[in-house]
Amino acid sequence: MQVESDVVVIGGGMAGLVAAAVALDAGLSVTVVTRGHGATASSSGAIDILGYLPGAVLPVEIPADGVHTLAMFHPWHPYTLIGLGTTDAGRSADASVAQVSDAIDWFRDRISSAGLEISGSVSETQWPVSVLGTVKPTTLLQSSMVTGSMSTDADATVLFVGLRGLPDLNPRAASSAYSEWCQSTGEGPHRVVGTVVELRSLSQRQALSSIEIAHHLDTDAGRTELTDALVPIVNNTGATHVVLPPVMGVVDSHEARESLETALGCRVIETLGVPPSVPGSRLQAALERMVVSMGGRLLKGHTVQDHRVTDGRITEVTARSRRRSVTVSASAFVLATGKFVGGGIVGDETGLREFLFGLPVFDAQRYLVGDERPSHLTSVRSVTPTGHRVFACGVGTDTMLRPVGVDGDVVYENLFCAGAILAGYNYQTEKSGLGVALVTGHTAGTYAARETKEVM
């Protein structure tokens, strides 16, 4: 089967689908080739732009300031490179912040049209709650996760709710952990309590999953059942904030939250997701709806296994599924296959390598690491402020996110890289994973669209 497209995106996570949507915005035809869900669908549902500077132990207070500092001192970080691509070195830090801010504004608008409300900006750090009762710094949140004044309102009563049969959230442990965190900050709610409720229609199940409950809460009957179970407890405790596990609907968490808040008369908050993540699946589904609604083509269940190159330019890729082979030709290509979870970077005892095009793999300092065993790129200590070197390894690029070789020259003029496959940042310690995917996806899509129009 032969398909023609202006732009081909390889990878169907945050980076790939954002790149596809940007190219579609430019009026181009786009085909996304994806073998299945990767890290985005398993994520917490929050989009971290920058939680910590490299090596730091204290979180970034304002993401914009963090990105600006990062761009001044870390030349190979993706945020730095995209800033250098738009201006001279003296003003690149400001340009990096502007690029990040523009990508966020664009994303909030487009994903809202796909039915997912996102809150946040580069001007503030948000502190969502996990199922453990701990908090973490992030930038963008699904509206169901926004805590608002919960941690600063001295008159608030916070009620952590567990669901019988669902092990994800232990309300007693979570409420205790949250209380300890509030005490460490010197402010917090008047009272934090926990309770367990039962959804009787699901009580016959031996073990419930968050996905099952979320589907149940997508229905009026499910939301009514949960409301009936919570009303007497909310009234007895005087709860002003109710914290639920990450189960607030697979399809529409905004509607579920509003329905529950209206019935309970208090703020309802969803915790961050844990794999298999309902908020992550919700984000993935919204991204796919966004691309499809804009006219994009999704080839799901296909793995790119071959490509053709003419005069230093990729002209087509061949993807295969169980039943067919599809060859897609295009003027520009975006590589967004992820790192280890997505399979973009693979490793064994001989070293690390980029799976599809055989591109060289570098570390955060742009040293070639393709011949090093992955175990040699890890630290003896499992948890350190600097993290493991292996997680910062990936494909090196120029300021237009085109892959470069050992000599620094661009390998393919019409290939643009985005997301976790990039070298130069450690998503685990920085808390920047989906943020880098969003921003570099936006940038790669812009350059891919520009490249396509230049050769038309």
Side-chain angles (χ1 to χ4, degrees):
M1 179 179 177
Q2 185 78 35
V3 175
E4 292 185 0
S5 189
D6 293 325
V7 176
V8 169
V9 176
I10 307 169
M14 169 70 83
L17 293 172
V18 165
V22 170
L24 288 164
D25 250 354
L28 302 175
S29 60
V30 178
T31 299
V32 179
V33 183
T34 173
R35 69 178 187 180
H37 293 166
T40 300
S42 299
S43 71
S44 69
I47 300 172
D48 305 333
I49 297 298
L50 185 65
Y52 296 83
L53 288 168
V57 295
L58 295 177
V60 170
E61 292 186 4
I62 300 176
D65 292 346
V67 171
H68 192 278
T69 302
L70 187 76
M72 293 176 64
F73 297 104
H74 297 273
W76 303 118
H77 196 284
Y79 289 156
T80 307
L81 292 175
I82 63 171
L84 288 168
T86 61
T87 187
D88 59 76
R91 294 178 293 178
S92 63
D94 292 333
S96 293
V97 175
Q99 289 277 87
V100 171
S101 182
D102 289 346
I104 288 174
D105 291 342
W106 174 92
F107 177 74
R108 278 201 316 259
D109 179 64
R110 294 299 185 278
I111 205 71
S112 175
S113 65
L116 186 63
E117 296 297 324
I118 296 291
S119 172
S121 71
V122 291
S123 62
E124 67 172 336
T125 292
Q126 301 193 73
W127 294 91
V129 185
S130 75
V131 293
L132 299 176
T134 56
V135 299
K136 61 160 283 184
T138 193
T139 306
L140 302 179
L141 283 173
Q142 298 178 31
S143 62
S144 58
M145 299 176 174
V146 176
T147 58
S149 62
M150 185 174 82
S151 64
T152 58
D153 186 355
D155 296 323
T157 295
V158 178
L159 174 65
F160 279 82
V161 178
L163 301 175
R164 194 173 304 281
L166 179 71
D168 293 8
L169 189 152
N170 181 319
R172 178 176 295 181
S175 59
S176 176
Y178 187 71
S179 294
E180 289 181 11
W181 178 78
C182 289
Q183 291 172 11
S184 71
T185 66
E187 56 184 8
H190 171 68
R191 187 182 177 205
V192 182
V193 294
T195 190
V196 175
V197 300
E198 183 177 59
L199 298 176
R200 294 189 178 279
S201 64
L202 302 178
S203 61
Q204 300 303 314
R205 308 287 181 88
Q206 294 297 317
L208 291 173
S209 71
S210 57
I211 297 290
E212 286 179 285
I213 297 175
H215 279 298
H216 188 53
L217 295 183
D218 273 327
T219 67
D220 291 336
R223 291 194 287 267
T224 299
E225 185 177 16
L226 179 59
T227 298
D228 292 342
L230 285 175
V231 165
I233 302 173
V234 169
N235 291 339
N236 290 337
T237 59
T240 57
H241 298 76
V242 170
V243 181
L244 292 172
V247 295
M248 214 176 291
V250 174
V251 178
D252 193 345
S253 61
H254 183 72
E255 181 180 341
R257 179 178 63 84
E258 286 194 337
S259 174
L260 289 170
E261 287 183 341
T262 300
L264 297 175
C266 63
R267 184 72 176 265
V268 177
I269 298 158
E270 181 181 39
T271 65
L272 296 168
V274 292
S277 171
V278 170
S281 298
R282 193 187 299 142
L283 176 60
Q284 178 72 38
L287 287 165
E288 292 179 0
R289 287 196 303 271
M290 174 180 70
V291 170
V292 171
S293 68
M294 297 172 73
R297 179 192 292 117
L298 294 183
L299 291 181
K300 291 186 177 182
H302 289 72
T303 301
V304 174
Q305 297 182 344
D306 198 7
H307 63 282
R308 177 176 294 180
V309 178
T310 303
D311 298 327
R313 297 175 62 85
I314 300 170
T315 57
E316 64 183 32
V317 295
T318 299
R320 294 183 175 86
S321 67
R322 288 187 175 183
R323 297 188 177 184
R324 66 175 181 175
S325 175
V326 182
T327 298
V328 190
S329 58
S331 299
F333 296 79
V334 174
L335 182 64
T337 47
K339 201 181 296 289
F340 305 121
V341 175
I345 303 293
V346 295
D348 53 29
E349 67 276 5
T350 64
L352 296 174
R353 62 188 183 277
E354 188 273 318
F355 173 75
L356 182 55
F357 297 103
L359 301 170
V361 176
F362 301 90
D363 69 1
Q365 304 303 320
R366 199 54 73 90
Y367 290 113
L368 188 67
V369 295
D371 293 332
E372 292 196 46
R373 287 191 177 193
S375 59
H376 295 168
L377 300 170
T378 60
S379 173
V380 175
R381 297 175 60 189
S382 58
V383 179
T384 68
T386 55
H388 297 283
R389 188 177 166 207
V390 68
F391 292 117
C393 295
V395 174
T397 70
D398 67 356
T399 58
M400 294 174 62
L401 299 183
R402 296 175 299 183
V404 297
V406 179
D407 55 5
D409 292 338
V410 173
V411 180
Y412 299 117
E413 294 287 341
N414 65 334
L415 178 64
F416 305 89
C417 303
I421 199 168
L422 295 171
Y425 77 106
N426 192 320
Y427 56 91
Q428 286 200 331
T429 56
E430 293 176 13
K431 306 302 180 189
S432 61
L434 285 185
V436 169
L438 163 59
V439 175
T440 58
H442 186 269
T443 303
T446 300
Y447 282 126
R450 185 181 304 173
E451 172 71 19
T452 300
K453 290 184 177 181
E454 287 178 356
V455 299
M456 279 183 169

